[in-house]
Amino acid sequence: MSIKNVRLEVMQAIEPKVEGFIDEFLIPTEKIWQPTDFLPDSQSDHFFDEVEKIRGEAKELGYDFWVTLVADTITEEALPTYESWLMDVEGIDQHNGKENGWSKWVRAWTAEENRHGDVLNKYLYLSGRVNMREIEITTQHLISDGFDIGTDRDPYKNFVYTTFQELATNISHKRVGKMARKKGNPLLAKMCTIIAGDEMRHHLAYREFVKTIMGQDPDGMVLAFADMMKKKIVMPAHFLRESGGTIGEAFEQFSNCAQRLGVYTAQDYIDILKKLNDYWDIGNLRGLSDQADKARVYLMKLPERLQRISERMQFSQDQYTFKWVEANGRL
Ligand SMILES: [Fe+2]
Ligand SMILES: [Fe+2]
């Protein structure tokens, strides 16, 4: 039997459980928060006063902060890339004529995620601190450029990727929220914190998917996990560019801002890996094939190796000027 068929069989075997995962990890549409819960009500007579307040508070936030918030927003806005990618993964079938649990999951997850870019985009627009047109151009470029995350159509690799990324976004939104609160921006702080909460639920769900697969096909799952870590988990917005720029050019500059600000760092990457090793109990997996056992040992040693590398790593302190955040955003 080919590797491809084993994956398909495992996905089909787990599929009846997905309905339960949706109930456990997602929140019904009518109960969950919506962007307008955190934004001025445009039907209210106080709308302009509330917008004034947002604009006043926004003046206290620094240059790296705006760049990071803009790039986080654009990353969320590129959701069409993620949904179309996941829909194409082996075993996630939206065409089989009956309701497939996995495609239902992807749609429901997308529906929750869609609120993130929505609320942040509206906030940025009202803040008056950023160049919305440049942000829109970058967003259009990013969706058009797609991404290359090295997962192929493999569900195992894709779920490792999403488990990792959901926690990475939880960390960065949470930290941006804390900074906003510190600088006297309670509304923005609330938005970021509530988004971070969604990301955490999604992380827990994908983490569970991997664990369930691990129970069915430990060899295949460990090999897929190790393969993803060898390639490194790239950010979904790694193709980020500004107007007139080339693919990926803006990403490195943004990444430096996020590092400087401490919103998402090389240490976070290592900490996430350690957490995944722990939760999936990689250290105690036994009865693996020789190849899978080698992958297991590699995964257990990797955090320490990355730690040594990260201690030598340096990132630029130079302030690059983005088209998204012009002089008006500089403090
Ligand atoms: Fe999100
Ligand atoms: Fe997410």
Side-chain angles (χ1 to χ4, degrees):
M1 197 185 289
S2 73
I3 287 176
K4 196 178 159 189
N5 284 341
V6 172
R7 274 149 163 74
L8 188 56
E9 278 182 17
V10 168
M11 286 293 278
Q12 284 167 348
I14 298 170
E15 197 258 341
K17 290 187 181 178
V18 180
E19 194 75 45
F21 290 141
I22 292 175
D23 290 345
E24 188 178 350
F25 297 109
L26 299 181
I27 297 176
T29 307
E30 313 255 335
K31 288 191 178 151
I32 201 166
W33 63 272
Q34 294 298 336
T36 46
D37 299 341
F38 300 92
L39 290 160
D41 176 3
S42 62
Q43 295 187 105
S44 152
D45 291 341
H46 305 296
F47 177 68
F48 291 109
D49 299 336
E50 287 173 47
V51 172
E52 259 326 305
K53 193 164 175 263
I54 283 184
R55 293 168 77 89
E57 288 171 356
K59 287 182 179 153
E60 298 303 315
L61 301 163
Y63 196 82
D64 281 347
F65 183 93
W66 286 111
V67 170
T68 304
L69 190 60
V70 164
D72 284 354
T73 305
I74 296 167
T75 306
E76 296 284 354
E77 294 272 52
L79 185 59
T81 302
Y82 319 141
E83 184 184 28
S84 55
W85 187 274
L86 287 174
M87 274 302 189
D88 194 39
V89 166
E90 185 88 56
I92 298 180
D93 185 0
Q94 58 176 333
H95 302 294
N96 70 351
K98 67 178 178 69
E99 190 60 60
N100 172 286
W102 289 113
S103 58
K104 200 175 168 194
W105 163 270
V106 172
R107 287 198 305 273
W109 168 82
T110 304
E112 281 203 0
E113 284 286 343
N114 189 54
R115 294 137 55 254
H116 300 170
D118 188 351
V119 70
L120 292 173
N121 183 306
K122 284 182 177 125
Y123 171 82
L124 287 175
Y125 178 69
L126 294 177
S127 78
R129 309 301 291 178
V130 295
N131 184 326
M132 282 313 287
R133 192 165 199 285
E134 287 295 338
I135 292 171
E136 287 158 356
I137 292 172
T138 295
T139 304
Q140 186 168 351
H141 268 308
L142 187 61
I143 295 174
S144 174
D145 290 336
F147 64 3
D148 181 11
I149 53 175
T151 55
D152 202 3
R153 298 184 61 227
D154 181 347
Y156 298 7
K157 290 182 191 173
N158 274 286
F159 291 156
V160 167
Y161 183 83
T162 48
T163 304
F164 200 103
Q165 271 314 324
E166 294 285 4
L167 189 52
T169 47
N170 161 269
I171 292 168
S172 72
H173 286 306
K174 199 169 55 192
R175 295 211 183 119
V176 169
K178 267 188 194 160
M179 281 174 203
R181 190 172 308 277
K182 240 183 173 174
K183 296 258 184 181
N185 289 253
L187 207 60
L188 177 58
K190 265 192 215 161
M191 283 175 219
C192 295
T193 307
I194 197 112
I195 294 172
D198 283 5
E199 309 293 17
M200 179 50 88
R201 281 187 293 104
H202 299 165
H203 161 69
L204 297 177
Y206 285 114
R207 191 179 77 160
E208 218 47 46
F209 297 174
V210 170
K211 199 179 171 83
T212 310
I213 292 172
M214 198 77 87
Q216 302 250 343
D217 181 10
D219 266 32
M221 194 63 243
V222 170
L223 285 166
F225 182 20
D227 185 68
M228 286 308 294
M229 297 316 302
K230 272 178 196 155
K231 284 181 193 147
K232 293 197 186 81
I233 304 281
V234 296
M235 290 290 139
H238 66 142
F239 282 168
L240 205 66
R241 58 159 121 179
E242 294 182 287
S243 64
T246 53
I247 288 185
E249 226 177 357
F251 181 76
E252 202 180 326
Q253 300 293 352
F254 149 59
S255 191
N256 287 335
C257 284
Q259 287 262 3
R260 277 198 297 265
L261 212 57
V263 159
Y264 184 73
T265 66
Q267 189 60 50
D268 293 317
Y269 186 96
I270 300 167
D271 293 343
I272 293 174
L273 170 60
K274 279 192 211 157
K275 281 189 181 144
L276 300 188
N277 274 348
D278 280 354
Y279 190 76
W280 295 329
D281 206 17
I282 301 297
N284 293 314
L285 282 178
R286 293 294 175 267
L288 298 171
S289 69
D290 286 355
Q291 202 194 357
D293 197 59
K294 269 187 201 147
R296 186 189 69 80
V297 172
Y298 164 81
L299 286 165
M300 290 309 291
K301 286 184 179 163
L302 189 57
E304 218 173 287
R305 231 177 82 195
L306 292 178
Q307 197 70 56
R308 285 197 300 273
I309 296 168
S310 85
E311 274 149 27
R312 291 195 301 266
M313 236 164 67
Q314 294 202 330
F315 49 90
S316 171
Q317 295 295 334
D318 297 344
Q319 184 66 73
Y320 171 84
T321 305
F322 288 83
K323 291 181 180 172
W324 315 320
V325 190
E326 291 160 332
N328 74 333
R330 200 183 269 286
L331 277 174

